[in-house]
Amino acid sequence: MGRTARDTTLDGMAHDNHAPEQLAPLLTPEGWALVNSLGPYREEDALALSTRMRKAGHSPELVAAVLSQARLRVRAEAKFGEFASRMLFTRAGLEQATRLSIAARHARRFVDAGVRHVADLGCGLGADAMAMSSLDLEVTAVELDETTAACATMNLMPFPHARVVHADAESVALDGVDGVWLDPARRETSTSGTTRLWDPEEFSPPLSFVEELAARGLPVGVKLGPGMPHASIPAGCEAQWVSVNGDVAEVALYFNALRRPSVRRAALLLGQDGAAELVAETDFGEGAQPQIGPLEGFLYEPDGAVIRAGLVAELADRLGGHLVDPHIAYICSAEPVDTPFAKAYRVLEVRPYNVKALRAWVREEGIGVLDIKKRGAAVTPEELRRLLLSGQRKGATKRATLVLTRIGDDRVAAVVEPL
């Protein structure tokens, strides 16, 4: 905070020996060439690779930096695909970085809104800036952390429409900018590691700063953690939760021209079969009123993004189903309905939750593999699985799935089979 804005350059970063990710040795022609010459990295080859680089005359500092970066690039493939092999990362930056598949959707919002120049405030490693630049948007990427800004500079080098500025996001002039994207820092770093922040006013920049920008009428979007409580989400914006292959990655808030007029909350699911979205125009706590009914027929486990967006009742209505408890996100229907928004199971039987009786059932049925799912039940699936399978006869191979939940004051265990 309070630093003077300046363009980040390689010369300005190359001698930062305090960089926690040992980036300084890589920001030289020798280091950059060496880290890009490795090819696919495997941890079992690390010792031999280290020995070979040292015999070639490379310093221990450079070798350590190269190996550290090689490990990060392997981890980054899940988010960046083939682009990871030519990027620079920090551990903290990679953890918070946007997947490119999601960043592309962020960028498309700005293009569709007619924006030409985006200020990416808190750009991190530059994932969103990369996606925006690839759509020919001009991007001014701003990052306060010096080490992360150095990574972003390298990662955005192939994109002529992007530049990185090392500065406090709240102090940067927005002259000539007609859209703003923000990815606030939501972790506090200390000598013992990083701690997640939950108060939106402790983010850097805080959510109130985002609202101030939106009040100017600018098209504004902000990426936040998916656990953002509904009460903290400002009025007048669209909130879209995004999950990738079942893992909820973020909630993005869109203001003004970036917001779809008829959408207040949305759940966007991205997977191998493409994209699917469930939306509602009503505010949180409003909209469809769920029906309550028995745990029978077919059970649906909504995707986490649907739950986070408060769209369980809307999904139940779409499925022609009902909730088994007004406070539990399990839906049942009489007939099976194909849906991308939930995992579906056939209910075989419903038992009272009793460990002794369930253990006898496991033994009598010859179950050797047991999947346990739970909502509204104060049990640890791993510990319960160990208890239920202990003492089972050798050679038991039958597979079963238990769903533990609460219906009113009663705890139950439903035996189900995945559809």
Side-chain angles (χ1 to χ4, degrees):
M1 303 290 286
R3 295 180 186 175
T4 302
R6 63 177 176 82
D7 284 350
T8 300
T9 65
L10 292 184
D11 289 343
M13 299 301 301
H15 304 293
D16 180 12
N17 293 320
H18 299 291
E21 308 299 332
Q22 301 173 300
L23 282 175
L26 303 177
L27 300 179
T28 63
E30 176 194 5
W32 187 239
L34 183 60
V35 73
N36 290 329
S37 70
L38 296 187
Y41 174 81
R42 300 187 308 168
E43 187 60 35
E44 56 265 36
D45 297 334
L47 181 58
L49 185 59
S50 174
T51 302
R52 187 167 70 249
M53 287 190 289
R54 291 195 181 199
K55 284 184 177 180
H58 299 295
S59 69
E61 293 78 15
L62 176 55
V63 171
V66 166
L67 291 177
S68 175
Q69 198 59 219
R71 294 184 181 100
L72 288 172
R73 284 179 168 181
V74 170
R75 289 174 52 193
E77 288 175 2
K79 288 187 174 183
F80 292 92
E82 62 184 19
F83 290 96
S85 65
R86 301 292 293 185
M87 295 175 65
L88 283 184
F89 301 97
T90 66
R91 281 185 286 273
L94 178 56
E95 185 174 338
Q96 189 167 318
T98 305
R99 291 175 173 86
L100 279 185
S101 59
I102 301 178
R105 292 178 175 272
H106 298 160
R108 176 53 58 183
R109 290 262 187 167
F110 286 93
V111 172
D112 291 345
V115 174
R116 297 306 307 158
H117 185 178
V118 181
D120 183 357
L121 304 183
C123 70
L125 298 174
D128 282 294
M130 289 169 60
M132 293 172 187
S133 298
S134 68
L135 294 181
D136 292 329
L137 292 174
E138 184 178 352
V139 182
T140 299
V142 180
E143 176 56 47
L144 177 62
D145 180 75
E146 193 170 30
T147 302
T148 307
C151 290
T153 299
M154 298 298 290
N155 296 339
L156 290 169
M157 283 181 64
F159 301 96
H161 300 306
R163 73 183 184 107
V164 177
V165 176
H166 171 220
D168 176 0
E170 296 182 64
S171 69
V172 175
L174 299 179
D175 300 336
V177 167
D178 56 349
V180 180
W181 174 255
L182 302 98
D183 186 356
R186 300 181 295 278
R187 287 184 175 273
E188 187 175 49
T189 303
S190 65
T191 54
S192 58
T194 61
T195 304
R196 188 180 297 277
L197 300 172
W198 297 104
D199 183 355
E201 287 309 296
E202 292 183 355
F203 299 166
S204 180
L207 185 57
S208 57
F209 176 71
V210 178
E211 294 183 80
E212 289 171 10
L213 293 177
R216 303 183 195 178
L218 285 168
V220 174
V222 57
K223 169 190 169 184
L224 299 170
M228 186 77 171
H230 295 167
S232 297
I233 295 176
C237 71
E238 173 191 337
Q240 183 189 60
W241 276 263
V242 183
S243 73
V244 180
N245 297 322
D247 294 327
V248 188
E250 67 171 47
V251 58
L253 309 184
Y254 296 104
F255 297 82
N256 301 326
L258 298 185
R259 178 190 180 185
R260 292 173 291 183
S262 60
V263 178
R264 169 58 169 158
R265 48 202 169 101
L268 174 65
L269 281 57
L270 304 178
Q272 296 179 348
D273 296 329
E277 190 177 32
L278 187 64
V279 304
E281 187 174 2
T282 55
D283 207 347
F284 301 98
E286 301 175 2
Q289 297 302 309
Q291 301 295 315
I292 309 299
L295 203 171
E296 63 182 18
F298 296 87
L299 177 71
Y300 301 87
E301 180 184 27
D303 184 273
V306 173
I307 297 172
R308 296 284 192 181
L311 292 168
V312 174
E314 283 78 4
L315 178 58
D317 185 62
R318 175 178 288 206
L319 297 175
H322 58 263
L323 300 187
V324 300
D325 182 279
H327 307 293
I328 306 294
Y330 279 137
I331 300 169
C332 278
S333 69
E335 300 295 333
V337 181
D338 187 26
T339 177
F341 301 109
K343 294 180 181 178
Y345 304 86
R346 185 190 308 275
V347 179
L348 304 179
E349 62 175 311
V350 180
R351 296 168 161 266
Y353 175 70
N354 180 284
V355 174
K356 184 176 180 180
L358 287 172
R359 189 177 180 190
W361 168 76
V362 166
R363 187 167 54 251
E364 292 166 4
E365 293 291 326
I367 295 168
V369 181
L370 184 61
D371 296 326
I372 298 178
K373 297 177 173 293
K374 63 116 178 182
R375 280 194 181 138
V379 297
T380 304
E382 293 77 14
E383 178 64 18
L384 180 61
R385 183 184 299 109
R386 186 187 65 80
L387 287 173
L388 298 184
L389 293 177
S390 63
Q392 177 59 286
R393 295 183 298 272
K394 289 185 178 180
T397 58
K398 186 177 178 180
R399 190 181 194 111
T401 301
L402 278 180
V403 174
L404 309 179
T405 191
R406 175 175 47 80
I407 301 177
D409 295 329
D410 298 325
R411 295 191 300 167
V412 300
V415 184
V416 303
E417 64 177 6
L419 293 186

